[in-house]
Amino acid sequence: MTTTVQAPPASKDPSQAPRRSFGGGSPLVRFIIVRFLLIFPTIFILVTMVFLLMRSIGDPITAALGGRLSAQQLAERIEAAGYNRPLIVQYFEYIGQVATGNFGTAISDGRPVSQLLLTYGGATLELAFYALLVAFVVGIPLGMVAAYLRDRWPDAVLRVVAILFYATPVFFAGLLLKLVFSVWLKVLPVAGRASTRTELQMGKLENRTGIYLIDAIQLGSPAAISDVLQHAVLPGLALGLLTAGVFLRLVRTNVIGTLSMDYVDAARSRGVSEFRLVRKHAYKPALIPIITVIGLQIAVLLGGAVLTETTFEWKGLGFKLAEYLSARDFVAVQGIVALLAVIVALSNFIVDILAAVIDPRVRY
């Protein structure tokens, strides 16, 4: 008599188990909802930190107008603005204002900070776009070349170049670029977002966006478009090379890691060239981590925009922030920094959603 022994069922890998669906909803939808809800405590913490740091130097009226007004006039203005009240009362009042989109009013010029976003936000957004474009165009191809020629002298040179890109201060890179291309070679404008003639032409537009490239396209003038792009080259390079260095190192590392995967080894055994492996098989998976890094680099770009806009007189939020810092207008500084914190939080939310949709390895 033959006895058949039945093997116990193989245990399933927990990571491969189907995801439970609570309430019948999609896991991706729940992930988006959770990430969206996390925006609010993130913004709350950032705004609280900005408020406490700004108040640690004293009341904004004394900081901005101290030495120009008498003690009695200062006391009257402090009382009128409510800065003589307990700090906790000022804090909850400020949080309530931020919740309604009111980031305060500048002391030096009396302009609402939220209005500054409409006036100067387009310039900073445009500069960030140019910087990311430079980072992609420079960082990704050079990262692929470094991975293809790994452990050879071009790879070593490119790694040093990457370190120089993200270690060089933005203002120094900007001054160096101005010296070479504007002073010595005289091929690019030294500062500004456009020439006076182009700005006057765009000022007549009815639906002006504040983003000069879009406004120049609305004009339908090739000369205006060329003028705007020429003014954008140096600021975009100065800020974009900072992120390009990060992309270069990241792409190189991930492409080398992908080239060691089994499916790449199988393609290599079939006689596929190393260049084709990098171009066709390895670089696409290596680009996925860049999506996540973009969320972190947005904060870096906004921080670098302050120095870049000041160096090139690119009148955006960073340029105004430097002006308010010089005027010791800490109400405006507090409002702009809190506003930038909100932008960073929202940008990271969008990046997280894109990463979850594109990258199947993201668990949600």
Side-chain angles (χ1 to χ4, degrees):
M1 181 177 180
T2 304
T3 304
T4 303
V5 179
Q6 186 175 2
S11 59
K12 296 183 179 180
D13 185 359
S15 63
Q16 301 298 324
R19 300 172 187 171
R20 297 175 61 186
S21 177
F22 298 94
S26 168
L28 178 59
V29 172
R30 290 198 305 275
F31 174 78
I32 294 174
I33 293 174
V34 170
R35 285 295 298 116
F36 178 76
L37 293 177
L38 286 176
I39 293 177
F40 298 100
T42 303
I43 294 176
F44 175 77
I45 294 172
L46 292 173
V47 170
T48 300
M49 292 177 61
V50 171
F51 176 86
L52 295 176
L53 288 173
M54 290 293 103
R55 288 299 190 275
S56 65
I57 59 174
D59 68 272
I61 300 294
T62 303
L65 303 177
R68 290 186 287 171
L69 298 177
S70 65
Q72 183 179 356
Q73 289 175 322
L74 279 175
E76 291 174 354
R77 294 210 176 190
I78 290 172
E79 183 177 0
Y83 293 126
N84 59 339
R85 294 175 297 171
L87 185 63
I88 189 67
V89 176
Q90 298 181 45
Y91 169 72
F92 282 111
E93 182 181 2
Y94 181 69
I95 291 296
Q97 291 176 350
V98 170
T100 61
N102 180 8
F103 290 88
T105 302
I107 297 174
S108 56
D109 56 15
R111 300 181 64 179
V113 176
S114 55
Q115 186 185 47
L116 295 174
L117 176 63
L118 300 176
T119 307
Y120 299 99
T124 301
L125 177 64
E126 187 175 13
L127 178 59
F129 169 77
Y130 293 139
L132 280 176
L133 184 63
V134 170
F136 279 117
V137 171
V138 175
I140 293 177
L142 291 183
M144 293 174 59
V145 171
Y148 175 64
L149 301 174
R150 61 188 180 277
D151 299 329
R152 305 178 194 174
W153 69 265
D155 178 30
V157 171
L158 288 175
R159 279 185 283 174
V160 173
V161 168
I163 294 173
L164 290 176
F165 279 171
Y166 64 74
T168 303
V170 176
F171 72 90
F172 179 77
L175 292 174
L176 188 62
L177 290 171
K178 288 170 67 172
L179 180 64
V180 174
F181 293 99
S182 300
V183 178
W184 292 349
L185 300 179
K186 300 184 185 300
V187 294
L188 291 172
V190 68
R193 298 180 61 198
S195 64
T196 304
R197 179 180 178 180
T198 301
E199 288 189 345
L200 290 175
Q201 290 177 341
M202 292 188 295
K204 300 177 182 179
L205 290 172
E206 295 182 0
N207 300 319
R208 190 173 180 181
T209 63
I211 300 176
Y212 276 20
L213 182 58
I214 296 178
D215 293 339
I217 293 174
Q218 288 189 66
L219 282 175
S221 170
I225 296 174
S226 175
D227 181 46
V228 168
L229 291 177
Q230 286 180 27
H231 281 79
V233 170
L234 295 185
L237 279 174
L239 187 56
L241 291 179
L242 175 69
T243 304
V246 177
F247 284 2
L248 195 161
R249 294 294 296 265
L250 187 64
V251 170
R252 176 189 177 276
T253 301
N254 283 279
V255 167
I256 290 176
T258 306
L259 287 174
S260 64
M261 301 296 288
D262 292 340
Y263 73 94
V264 175
D265 290 336
R268 188 181 286 116
S269 66
R270 294 196 300 269
V272 178
S273 66
E274 197 73 12
F275 177 76
R276 183 177 176 84
L277 287 175
V278 173
R279 186 169 58 89
K280 289 291 186 180
H281 298 281
Y283 92 95
K284 287 184 179 180
L287 294 183
I288 293 177
I290 288 193
I291 298 174
T292 305
V293 173
I294 288 176
L296 301 176
Q297 291 303 310
I298 287 174
V300 176
L301 290 177
L302 291 177
V306 177
L307 298 175
T308 307
E309 291 178 6
T310 305
T311 304
F312 291 95
E313 297 181 19
W314 186 281
K315 295 184 178 180
L317 287 177
F319 184 83
K320 293 301 294 182
L321 181 60
E323 282 190 349
Y324 287 130
L325 281 170
S326 300
R328 299 181 64 85
D329 189 341
F330 294 127
V331 172
V333 171
Q334 173 182 280
I336 293 178
V337 172
L339 197 60
L340 293 177
V342 172
I343 294 174
V344 170
L346 292 174
S347 301
N348 277 276
F349 165 70
I350 295 172
V351 169
D352 286 345
I353 300 306
L354 289 176
V357 172
I358 296 174
D359 189 356
R361 295 172 295 181
V362 174
R363 303 294 298 176
Y364 48 80

